[in-house]
Amino acid sequence: MIDRYRPMVSRDDPFVAVSWKSTRAFKTGTQRSEKPLFANKVAPCRQACPIGIDIPTAFHLASEGDIDGALRTFLEENPLPGVCGRVCYHPCESECNRGSLDEPIGIRTLERFASDHGKADIAGDGAADSKKGKIAVIGSGPAGLSACYHMARSGYHVTLIEARAELGGMLRYGIPPYRLPRSVLNCEIERIISLGITTQVATRAGEDISWEELRSFDALFLSVGLQEGRFLPELNVPGAGMITGLDFLADPWRWSREDDTNKVLIVGGGNVAIDAARTLIRIRRGRASTITVVCPEPREHMPALPEEIAEALEEGITIVNGWAPHRLNEDGGRPISLDFRSAEVRRDRETGNVEVTTVGRETRGYPVDMIIVAIGQHMRADSLPAGIDIKDGKIVTDQFGRTSLPEVFAGGDAIGGRAFVADAVADGKRGAAAISCFLEGRAIENELQIHRVGQGPAFSIEHYMRGGPGKDAGSLKRVVTFEDLNTLFFSERARRDQERLQPKVRSKCFDEVSPGLDPSAMIEEISRCFRCGICIDCGICLDFCPDLSIIKDAESGIYSFDPDYCKGCGVCSVACPRGIIQMVGERS
Amino acid sequence: MRMLITGNHAAAYGARLARPQVIAAYPITPQSPIYEKLSEWDGEGTLGGRMMRVESEHSAMAACIAASLTGVRTFTATASQGLALMHEMLHFASGVRAPIVMVNVNRSLAAPWSFWSEQTDSLSQRDTGWLQFYVADNQETLDTVIQAYRISETIFLPSMVVLEAFYTSHFMEPVEIPDQAQVDEFLPPFEPAFRLDPGNPAAFSQTVTQGQYAQFRMKRHAAMEDALHVAEHVDTQYQGQFGRGYGLMDCYRLEDAEVVVVTAGTIGSTARVAIDTMREEGRKAGMVRIRLFRPFPKTQLIEALKHVKKIAVIDRNLSVGQEGIFCGELKSALYSWTERIPVFGFVLGLGGTNVSPLHIRGALDFIERYDHAPAKPIFDIEGCNE
């Protein structure tokens, strides 16, 4: 009976506003004043990398189990992932966005892991193009190898000239094998040479091959390095019992006694000093009692990498800070003791040059049988072509590595700057681009700007070689900050670091200090990476869009929005875990 | 089955007996035990329907509206700030004629912050097109929830069943829980008038012309008017089946009454005590407790009150700048009758303060002393503050 109060259900005269036509008639897009822009961005780790490696992509591929793809991503920018994965000072990790949540990702750990476990056949990339020029590279350290690699991949004919018997420069003659196993180095060099590079070892430029002959190449890249150690300027000319750190590291067995009866002082606070000390302790099978490192810098300002210093201390090496050599006491041409005075160190902010002054009259004497001097290196004066400008013992170049000679470019330690492998690799890359621009009539100034990674030091040579300005140049310019991320999708997890051999074990042998991260721990570490700034097709935006207006292209997998229905609410932009989507003005 | 339970749990039992298929709610004091009880049953697998976790009351109501349009029975519960947050969606619910049933536990609105009983939260939703039932005890809570589904699903308008913070929500009373089979017989499954098919979606509440809008508004008003008859009829049927009925209003010792208290909710229970005492003293006192506030039973109230000499309305609510809301509504209803009865407006019990039998007596004593009712609400009755 109460049903008589039930309203009439009639489609012609409904008691509620309802339409049976498609809701697609409502083009809610007209309400929009901002629109989402889907664009990959540069992660701060990549921006900080001197080589500009696309780190998030490497991590993303690795997270999908594609370790080969990860290795290839490293190899796009860096010919030496196995080397850098071990010895790099990893500025990327300091800038890692994850550091704002818990701890930075072990980026260097993955670079090494990919190099140790991945395979990448890049030989085919180096098909030489007969129309392209012939280049000579002088010196096969990291800068020279990098220049060779990138020029060969661009199709140039490259000849690599090396004065020593083997390729590798400081990588071979400066970095001890417990930090960089020779098998790894040889493998990486072999990969570079296999691109079709002609090599001439035991060939000193200017002696075994004349500069005139070398100048007949279309361009030259000088990466001659700083091959000679400096001696103590205040003290007598070296005699027996005093050698440079570089000479020592190049052939440590020649200079060492295996017992610990002779007292060795190592003067200097850089990596060479620490490497010399740690090499010597290994030759002495862990006996460290008579090995002492003395340097003027306080501990926290030593130029050596902090992790190297820490490992040296663990191995029992004594490091004395704040003292500079004052007087050498000799007996019959052999050193018997070295006196030190308290020291102050001043670093010139502009040039980076270090000035050491002694203060006070207090003297501290150390009895010595051998002194290893590791206070810096200089260039061999006769290793350069005539007429090239030199200042303060370094080749003068502009910011693109161009020397005073028109077709001669330079990089690496020989032009100054930071003396790390990654920086040398970056110099080689820049040299390759500068030479290619020079030979192809392009403006290097513009090219480096177009392909620059964010506001960082690096440019992307992969972008330069394959992309050109048309290939979403903006993706290299926008940097994704921690605030751009939606960290609600990430929970705190501890970083996985690689194990190291016990100091007692490792100090008796030249085995690599760290065996690398085991695969299960590596998988965990890989999964910690946010993969900032790259769309990984997670589909979160699809789930959150209240208007079902995000479109994923079935073939390409590329995301965009439907302008007919997107209201510009910005929910996708907030939801995106990786900072891909940003709201921009409707007309931009 | 008879159980000793709180008003909140009576609401939850009532809801479960109605077999809602979607429950979308957000916890808020003093309503949370309803949500918790339903969640507990959900966890045990004895709820029958689906609990939807939502991030706000606004979304809870939005979810109920969409679910209701697809043809499922829906339930939600809220209070105070939560109801205020729902406000926009309350208009939508009645506009799309979704017969949702919601329990609101009256609680004072901020600011300042407070948790106690006051009816201003639900009375502020007066014009949203929802039916509003004000109940006085736990049994009435359970019975009204079940009745509300039957009424709402007949006329296609949503219903709000209103309890009072802590007075009803947290007090335990013996409550008769009906058999499920009997409730199923009383309450057949819900059939929507215009079903939203997710596989082939239609657009509800799309833009309409001015004239169409006016038509839809008038249809909603007509349905509200019908609701008075439907509510009365459903209550009669319920009484026939379960032995309990309440009417649109609860009239107590009214036949020969000269001075009458008009109120709503738990104050009505208190008033019975005061009136019994006064009757023992030979005074002709009576009471009307309004149960259905929307639609407002105007003619029924005139019929019930036309013989009385003076009326004292006791409101546990306040329309700031005007007066108690039941008082204003009653005055408006009585204005269409030929005679004029003085209506005195008392605003007592704000913020959950106690309204005792002494207050009721005091109010009736007060109106006996004066011939004319003041235009302003009366907040204090001399000698009644304990």
Side-chain angles (χ1 to χ4, degrees):
Chain A
M1 191 160 48
I2 60 168
D3 281 350
R4 71 188 171 96
Y5 293 108
R6 190 179 282 272
M8 288 286 292
V9 178
S10 157
R11 279 198 169 205
D12 300 326
D13 182 23
F15 62 85
V16 55
V18 57
S19 160
W20 285 273
K21 290 180 179 168
S22 166
T23 55
R24 297 195 77 80
F26 305 123
K27 304 238 166 155
T28 49
T30 53
Q31 299 172 19
R32 189 175 60 244
S33 60
E34 281 190 315
K35 61 185 177 184
L37 178 69
F38 294 75
N40 282 358
K41 299 187 177 60
V42 169
C45 54
R46 184 178 192 189
Q47 179 178 240
C49 173
I51 310 175
I53 295 167
D54 187 357
I55 296 164
T57 296
F59 269 89
H60 177 54
L61 293 171
S63 75
E64 297 189 320
D66 186 5
I67 298 296
D68 296 346
L71 176 59
R72 182 167 261 281
T73 305
F74 283 109
L75 285 168
E76 289 295 349
E77 305 288 345
N78 181 11
L80 299 168
V83 173
C84 290
R86 288 171 167 80
V87 303
C88 188
Y89 60 106
H90 51 75
C92 52
E93 294 185 17
S94 314
E95 297 301 318
C96 171
N97 275 335
R98 178 124 203 164
S100 299
L101 182 75
D102 42 37
E103 297 170 275
I105 302 290
I107 296 169
R108 193 177 74 174
T109 310
L110 176 67
E111 188 171 19
R112 171 179 172 169
F113 187 89
S115 154
D116 288 355
H117 298 271
K119 287 188 182 65
D121 180 15
I122 56 153
D125 297 355
D129 180 344
S130 57
K131 291 193 289 292
K132 293 212 172 188
K134 293 183 167 55
I135 320 288
V137 174
I138 319 297
S140 66
L145 288 171
S146 168
C148 287
Y149 174 84
H150 288 299
M151 285 191 289
R153 293 187 82 201
S154 305
Y156 291 97
H157 301 263
V158 183
T159 302
L160 177 59
I161 314 284
E162 169 56 50
R164 301 225 207 200
E166 288 185 87
L167 299 177
M170 283 301 157
L171 301 176
R172 185 178 301 281
Y173 295 102
I175 301 180
Y178 62 86
R179 287 177 64 198
L180 175 58
R182 293 300 175 253
S183 58
V184 173
L185 178 62
N186 292 340
C187 176
E188 303 232 299
I189 290 174
E190 179 54 37
R191 181 166 53 214
I192 296 166
I193 300 308
S194 72
L195 291 169
I197 290 158
T198 310
T199 59
Q200 293 182 31
V201 294
T203 305
R204 185 169 289 282
E207 289 179 16
D208 303 315
I209 179 168
S210 72
W211 286 113
E212 288 70 34
E213 192 177 335
L214 287 168
R215 295 288 294 272
S216 71
F217 281 85
D218 294 311
L220 281 184
F221 184 74
L222 302 179
S223 46
V224 296
L226 305 175
Q227 312 93 327
E228 299 199 333
R230 279 171 56 207
F231 276 101
L232 292 164
E234 302 87 346
L235 306 179
N236 299 340
V237 181
M242 195 184 314
I243 55 164
T244 67
L246 282 188
D247 285 343
F248 175 79
L249 287 174
D251 191 3
W253 293 93
R254 178 179 162 199
W255 305 98
S256 305
R257 293 209 350 228
E258 289 188 43
D259 61 47
D260 57 352
T261 53
N262 68 337
K263 297 173 280 293
V264 179
L265 262 188
I266 297 160
V267 180
N271 279 331
V272 172
I274 302 295
D275 287 345
R278 296 181 71 191
T279 298
L280 188 58
I281 192 176
R282 280 160 173 75
I283 288 171
R284 292 184 171 182
R285 304 195 60 76
R287 291 183 295 270
S289 61
T290 55
I291 305 169
T292 307
V293 175
V294 186
C295 68
E297 296 92 351
R299 182 70 52 88
E300 63 274 19
H301 291 147
M302 284 173 68
L305 291 178
E307 63 204 51
E308 297 290 322
I309 296 169
E311 287 177 5
L313 292 170
E314 284 171 5
E315 289 164 11
I317 287 159
T318 306
I319 300 177
V320 180
N321 295 90
W323 296 83
H326 172 58
R327 187 174 60 231
L328 178 68
N329 305 306
E330 289 174 290
D331 181 18
R334 292 198 67 82
I336 52 169
S337 70
L338 186 54
D339 293 341
F340 287 82
R341 276 197 171 160
S342 188
E344 277 180 0
V345 178
R346 251 180 257 114
R347 180 177 291 274
D348 188 306
R349 279 192 186 171
E350 283 184 13
T351 65
N353 290 338
V354 172
E355 189 192 340
V356 179
T357 50
T358 56
V359 290
R361 300 207 154 268
E362 190 196 345
T363 301
R364 197 186 264 196
Y366 286 90
V368 290
D369 296 308
M370 182 169 80
I371 300 169
I372 298 174
V373 184
I375 57 167
Q377 294 105 265
H378 56 74
M379 195 162 53
R380 278 180 62 134
D382 57 355
S383 58
L384 298 174
I388 196 165
D389 280 356
I390 295 173
K391 191 184 173 199
D392 296 334
K394 307 274 167 64
I395 301 169
V396 177
T397 67
D398 64 7
Q399 56 175 313
F400 308 108
R402 294 184 290 211
T403 71
S404 56
L405 300 178
E407 78 291 0
V408 181
F409 299 78
D413 285 349
I415 67 165
R418 293 179 70 107
F420 292 108
V421 174
D423 299 295
V425 170
D427 275 5
K429 234 174 88 168
R430 185 188 59 186
I435 289 170
S436 130
C437 285
F438 168 69
L439 294 177
E440 292 166 26
R442 287 196 272 175
I444 182 71
E445 296 87 341
N446 295 344
E447 296 295 335
L448 290 200
Q449 199 51 42
I450 290 167
H451 306 291
R452 184 176 180 187
V453 176
Q455 301 301 308
F459 73 101
S460 166
I461 201 160
E462 190 254 340
H463 206 266
Y464 169 78
M465 277 163 38
R466 293 175 224 282
K471 186 193 166 190
D472 187 21
S475 68
L476 273 182
K477 293 293 172 276
R478 296 178 287 263
V479 181
V480 58
T481 65
F482 183 71
E483 286 68 32
D484 294 333
L485 305 174
N486 181 1
T487 49
L488 292 173
F489 285 99
F490 309 115
S491 52
E492 289 183 26
R493 274 160 62 204
R495 170 183 165 121
R496 296 299 301 258
D497 272 310
Q498 49 197 18
E499 303 281 322
R500 288 175 301 167
L501 295 181
Q502 289 298 312
K504 275 185 186 169
V505 175
R506 68 181 191 238
S507 63
K508 292 186 177 71
C509 64
F510 280 89
D511 287 358
E512 194 171 7
V513 169
S514 168
L517 208 53
D518 71 76
S520 61
M522 191 71 243
I523 287 167
E524 277 186 44
E525 187 61 16
I526 288 165
S527 71
R528 287 181 69 239
C529 176
F530 295 159
R531 291 161 279 171
C532 305
I534 60 167
C535 177
I536 63 161
D537 192 16
C538 68
I540 299 285
C541 54
L542 293 172
D543 290 346
F544 275 82
C545 175
D547 290 304
L548 307 174
S549 296
I550 291 174
I551 303 164
K552 181 183 161 189
D553 187 88
E555 277 183 21
S556 67
I558 289 172
Y559 286 76
S560 60
F561 74 101
D562 187 337
D564 279 349
Y565 302 103
C566 168
K567 291 202 200 84
C569 68
V571 165
C572 55
S573 168
V574 175
C576 176
R578 296 174 180 80
I580 311 304
I581 309 169
Q582 81 190 106
M583 301 306 292
V584 296
E586 186 57 23
R587 292 175 199 286
S588 62
Chain B
M1 184 176 50
R2 214 167 164 75
M3 289 178 76
L4 185 65
I5 53 173
T6 63
N8 275 334
H9 284 183
Y13 274 97
R16 185 171 70 164
L17 285 165
R19 298 189 185 275
Q21 290 131 295
V22 170
I23 296 167
Y26 191 88
I28 181 171
T29 302
Q31 165 274 130
S32 300
I34 301 176
Y35 182 86
E36 287 160 4
K37 191 72 192 169
L38 294 166
S39 298
E40 191 184 310
W41 287 329
D42 189 33
E44 288 170 0
T46 57
L47 181 63
R50 281 182 64 177
M51 292 286 284
M52 261 183 85
R53 274 73 175 172
V54 286
E55 88 295 347
S56 74
E57 288 84 354
H58 190 278
S59 295
M61 185 46 64
C64 285
I65 292 168
S68 180
L69 289 174
T70 67
V72 300
R73 190 167 283 155
T74 57
F75 178 77
T76 187
T78 190
S80 181
Q81 311 299 130
L83 185 65
L85 183 59
M86 271 183 193
H87 176 77
E88 181 195 14
M89 287 291 119
L90 298 183
H91 284 280
F92 260 101
S94 71
V96 299
R97 308 294 294 272
I100 299 158
V101 172
M102 166 163 68
V103 167
N104 179 68
V105 182
N106 278 146
R107 170 187 150 185
S108 44
L109 282 160
W113 209 239
S114 167
F115 303 99
W116 316 103
S117 179
E118 194 182 307
Q119 297 157 329
T120 313
D121 59 351
S122 53
L123 291 172
S124 297
Q125 310 303 335
R126 188 185 65 178
D127 303 331
T128 54
W130 282 60
L131 281 74
Q132 290 196 6
F133 297 90
Y134 287 78
V135 300
D137 62 48
N138 300 358
Q139 185 70 59
E140 190 185 349
T141 299
L142 182 146
D143 294 332
T144 306
V145 167
I146 295 168
Q147 286 192 16
Y149 278 107
R150 184 77 192 276
I151 299 162
S152 281
E153 290 170 11
T154 303
I155 53 147
F156 295 102
L157 280 175
S159 285
M160 199 184 294
V161 179
V162 185
L163 282 64
E164 276 173 80
F166 306 107
Y167 290 117
T168 20
S169 70
H170 285 64
F171 266 46
M172 293 178 98
E173 290 175 340
V175 174
E176 182 67 35
I177 315 278
D179 286 344
Q180 182 69 60
Q182 276 206 5
V183 176
D184 289 346
E185 194 187 320
F186 177 77
L187 192 60
F190 167 47
E191 268 301 319
F194 302 98
R195 188 188 296 270
L196 173 62
D197 173 9
N200 183 23
F204 281 80
S205 59
Q206 73 275 27
T207 310
V208 295
T209 64
Q210 299 94 318
Q212 286 172 323
Y213 186 85
Q215 286 299 318
F216 286 123
R217 290 288 277 170
M218 288 188 280
K219 283 176 177 168
R220 232 192 298 181
H221 182 72
M224 255 310 183
E225 303 248 285
D226 289 346
L228 282 169
H229 308 290
V230 173
E232 230 167 358
H233 192 87
V234 166
D235 187 57
T236 309
Q237 278 199 329
Y238 193 86
Q239 186 160 26
Q241 194 170 341
F242 299 94
R244 291 182 300 276
Y246 302 91
L248 302 183
M249 63 198 77
D250 171 16
C251 301
Y252 188 64
R253 302 186 94 158
L254 197 58
E255 300 77 26
D256 59 340
E258 293 176 354
V259 286
V260 172
V261 170
V262 176
T263 189
T266 58
I267 294 174
S269 309
T270 312
R272 285 166 183 261
V273 178
I275 284 158
D276 284 346
T277 319
M278 291 173 78
R279 283 277 180 176
E280 281 167 25
E281 293 165 5
R283 295 171 65 184
K284 292 188 171 176
M287 188 266 292
V288 172
R289 178 173 65 86
I290 299 173
R291 289 187 66 242
L292 186 60
F293 173 71
R294 272 295 175 274
F296 200 65
K298 292 187 284 276
T299 53
Q300 291 85 343
L301 277 165
I302 291 169
E303 194 54 39
L305 291 166
K306 63 185 182 187
H307 65 281
V308 309
K309 293 210 164 76
K310 290 176 186 173
I311 297 171
V313 182
I314 301 182
D315 273 295
R316 194 193 281 283
N317 61 76
L318 176 63
S319 174
V320 175
Q322 173 65 352
E323 60 190 333
I325 294 164
F326 281 96
C327 179
E329 294 276 328
L330 181 66
K331 282 184 189 171
S332 162
L334 293 180
Y335 196 78
S336 49
W337 190 50
T338 49
E339 303 285 320
R340 184 150 172 225
I341 307 167
V343 177
F344 293 72
F346 294 86
V347 173
L348 304 173
L350 292 182
T353 50
N354 190 29
V355 178
S356 71
L358 219 55
H359 287 95
I360 312 292
R361 277 189 78 115
L364 292 175
D365 289 348
F366 184 98
I367 65 172
E368 278 187 338
R369 287 204 295 275
Y370 298 94
D371 292 334
H372 300 287
K376 293 178 173 183
I378 304 156
F379 292 101
D380 275 315
I381 308 167
E382 217 171 300
C384 290
N385 293 325
E386 293 154 49

